[in-house]
Amino acid sequence: MDAVLENLPYLLGGFLTNLQLAAFALAGGIFLGTLVGLGRISKRPWVYYPVTLYVNFLRNIPLILVIFWFFFVMPILIGKTLDPFVSAAVSFVVFEATYFGEIFRAGFQSISKDLVSAAYSTGLTYRQTAAYILVPIAVRRMLPSLITQSIITFQDTSLAYVIGLQEMVRRTTIVDGLEVRSVQLYTFVAILFFVICFVGSRISLHYEEKSRKAKVL
Amino acid sequence: MLTYKFDWGVLWRQPYGEWLLQGLWLTIQLGALAWVIALSLGILFGTLRSVRFWPLRIIGALYVEIFRNIPFLVQLFFWFYAGPMLLGKTLQFKINQISGLNYYIAIFGLGLYTASRVAEHVRAGFASIGHGQYDAVLSTGMTRLQMYWYVMIPHALRLIIPPLTTEFLTIFKNSAVAMTIGVAETTFMSYKIDEQTFHGLEATTGAMAIYLVLGMTVVKLMDRIESRFRIPGLMSR
């Protein structure tokens, strides 16, 4: 365990980069994903088709390739080489937004028209219906998949390794190159990711059970 | 905007065009061979999660939780760098001498990882079969092993063909991660073209087109399998 303990601050510093990247990816991805979700249920063809194309295109391509692509395209667009963190953050937002968008779409579409009619018939305005009926129910239904997708996003941040970002896996390979303690080092990384993702998946399961009992699913 | 001269010729000029095609061939191999492992282990562990005997259920759950909650990249590096060390000095030396070791480890790692996802679908398939069927099958005099092998597993598999299609598509996409241990698949090749020509943008765009075509082909193929194995009388798409 010496190899892990001696390099602990360095490794955990890398893990902090993973967390930061995940934070940017989730904030941007969920924001853009909401717009994508709205675009996917839009009745205007000039909104629906471009957004659908964007979603179906990116969902068929490996994330690792998207990370590379942005790393190559950004210098051409802005004229200078970008910091790997910024480049990775942009590719994550653009990529994860398609997945979050599909979750939002499913959430919106899971609400029955009868429910909306019922809300109107009690005298609620459109704004009130949206605020008190539609959004709360949709969020409750989407919460488990949102958490699951957030865990996947967090795991995916390790892929920024490929453009040389100093995140945890990159730093582990650097330490391993010096110390040659692969078993200890990679077991440590695996455990760290496992603990966070496992707790996350339990939380997701908890909300799933909760809404099943409340019969909103 | 920088004065960047596009050179789409890198996509077909020799030897780069051939590199991309070689990459595609490796991507197909990785995906297809890993799928064999993923499907067999996925069915095994997914079934274990739904049997009555609780120690087996725990084994199934442990497998799924471990492989789903660790990033695939970390798993791959673990198998590649730490895996041989686990086997002791003499065996480690022998294993590291195998040529194309990264290729085998990529297939093995991708298979184990995807198996955890397949197992979850298989479990969902079992959950959607009514309890009456278990009783009905057992009342015909089949043993539990026969029940799973002849009735439950085939039934569950036919129910979960649509999510398995998604997993099958994902396995080709995830195979791109194998480039990190030096397997020369499509993404690796596009990166290599960039190293040689500095036209990474064109090369990665070409690689994207390859993945799109591959994805569409897989969907077509799975559509056929799905209509062939559809259960009569159930809602279809």
Side-chain angles (χ1 to χ4, degrees):
Chain A
M1 284 310 283
D2 286 355
V4 173
L5 290 176
E6 277 165 24
N7 298 291
L8 201 57
Y10 181 69
L11 293 175
L12 288 181
F15 198 56
L16 193 65
T17 308
N18 288 95
L19 290 172
Q20 284 167 337
L21 188 57
F24 275 103
L26 288 178
I30 289 176
F31 175 73
L32 190 61
T34 315
L35 299 181
V36 169
L38 289 172
R40 291 273 286 149
I41 53 170
S42 171
K43 288 195 175 64
R44 298 180 186 90
W46 49 272
V47 176
Y48 175 80
Y49 286 106
V51 173
T52 305
L53 190 70
Y54 159 62
V55 170
N56 287 343
F57 179 72
L58 274 184
R59 282 172 69 103
N60 273 306
I61 288 170
L63 172 58
I64 209 164
L65 191 59
V66 178
I67 295 174
F68 271 133
W69 193 80
F70 269 98
F71 197 57
F72 292 132
V73 86
M74 292 302 257
I76 297 169
L77 283 179
I78 59 171
K80 60 172 197 271
T81 316
L82 259 189
D83 176 58
F85 185 86
V86 181
S87 183
V90 173
S91 21
F92 275 102
V93 168
V94 171
F95 184 82
E96 301 293 347
T98 62
Y99 286 82
F100 283 113
E102 287 301 273
I103 294 174
F104 286 123
R105 181 181 65 94
F108 297 136
Q109 286 180 338
S110 73
I111 292 168
S112 77
K113 289 200 174 111
D114 295 345
L115 191 68
V116 182
S117 315
Y120 283 148
S121 73
T122 65
L124 291 180
T125 64
Y126 171 72
R127 201 175 270 271
Q128 287 170 326
T129 308
Y132 300 122
I133 312 280
L134 299 185
V135 173
I137 292 179
V139 167
R140 252 197 247 177
R141 283 184 185 165
M142 292 184 299
L143 207 54
S145 0
L146 279 181
I147 298 173
T148 307
Q149 188 58 38
S150 304
I151 298 170
I152 295 173
T153 306
F154 175 61
Q155 293 190 2
D156 283 347
T157 58
S158 61
L159 292 179
Y161 161 92
V162 294
I163 52 170
L165 182 70
Q166 289 270 328
E167 48 71 62
M168 186 152 179
V169 181
R170 170 63 69 179
R171 288 193 170 184
T172 307
T173 57
I174 293 171
V175 173
D176 191 32
L178 298 169
E179 309 252 5
V180 201
R181 288 283 179 277
S182 312
V183 178
Q184 292 91 326
L185 284 164
Y186 287 107
T187 307
F188 173 70
V189 181
I191 289 174
L192 208 54
F193 271 105
F194 177 81
V195 168
I196 291 188
C197 298
F198 182 72
V199 170
S201 71
R202 291 294 110 170
I203 296 173
S204 162
L205 209 64
H206 166 77
Y207 281 109
E208 214 172 294
E209 293 291 319
K210 207 171 140 188
S211 38
R212 190 174 296 141
K213 276 180 193 141
K215 299 221 167 70
V216 297
L217 274 179
Chain B
M1 188 111 175
L2 199 75
T3 47
Y4 180 81
K5 269 211 161 78
F6 283 96
D7 177 16
W8 294 99
V10 295
L11 294 184
W12 48 82
R13 200 187 306 137
Q14 287 309 322
Y16 311 123
E18 206 178 311
W19 285 2
L20 281 176
L21 286 181
Q22 285 168 355
L24 170 64
W25 174 228
L26 262 180
T27 296
I28 293 173
Q29 286 180 30
L30 290 178
L33 294 175
W35 185 245
V36 176
I37 300 177
L39 207 55
S40 358
L41 286 182
I43 293 170
L44 174 67
F45 285 106
T47 310
L48 286 187
R49 292 198 74 178
S50 62
V51 299
R52 275 202 319 188
F53 188 53
W54 65 267
L56 289 181
R57 275 213 308 273
I58 292 195
I59 293 173
L62 266 179
Y63 181 88
V64 170
E65 293 299 342
I66 288 174
F67 283 89
R68 265 180 30 146
N69 286 315
I70 297 170
F72 176 47
L73 179 69
V74 176
Q75 293 183 24
L76 200 59
F77 278 4
F78 184 87
W79 298 128
F80 188 60
Y81 295 112
M85 284 189 189
L86 289 173
L87 300 168
K89 276 269 181 286
T90 37
L91 214 55
Q92 178 196 340
F93 187 68
K94 271 192 186 146
I95 283 184
N96 282 331
Q97 275 184 326
I98 299 173
S99 68
L101 177 69
N102 52 2
Y103 169 78
Y104 297 113
I105 286 190
I107 292 171
F108 171 77
L110 186 58
L112 291 191
Y113 171 72
T114 312
S116 69
R117 302 163 59 114
V118 172
E120 278 298 86
H121 295 306
V122 172
R123 185 175 73 127
F126 279 119
S128 65
I129 300 176
H131 269 282
Q133 189 170 334
Y134 290 83
D135 301 335
V137 175
L138 288 177
S139 75
T140 65
M142 282 194 187
T143 64
R144 286 196 173 270
L145 208 61
Q146 286 172 326
M147 170 184 83
Y148 276 107
W149 187 250
Y150 291 110
V151 184
M152 296 328 234
I153 291 176
H155 189 176
L157 281 182
R158 286 169 76 169
L159 287 174
I160 58 165
I161 288 177
L164 284 187
T165 303
T166 314
E167 286 310 328
F168 193 42
L169 283 170
T170 310
I171 208 166
F172 289 108
K173 286 191 285 169
N174 282 337
S175 74
V177 178
M179 72 165 289
T180 57
I181 57 169
V183 180
E185 45 70 60
T186 313
T187 307
F188 180 95
M189 285 304 193
S190 68
Y191 189 69
K192 193 171 156 192
I193 293 174
D194 173 69
E195 277 181 341
Q196 303 262 325
T197 65
F198 299 106
H199 281 286
L201 178 58
E202 291 90 329
T204 43
T205 309
M208 282 182 178
I210 290 179
Y211 281 106
L212 277 183
V213 173
L214 181 63
M216 285 189 290
T217 316
V218 169
V219 168
K220 277 273 179 302
L221 185 81
M222 291 304 284
D223 268 351
R224 278 207 182 160
I225 294 180
E226 197 173 328
S227 54
R228 166 88 176 70
F229 288 102
R230 182 175 297 142
I231 299 176
L234 285 189
M235 293 276 283
S236 59
R237 282 192 295 167

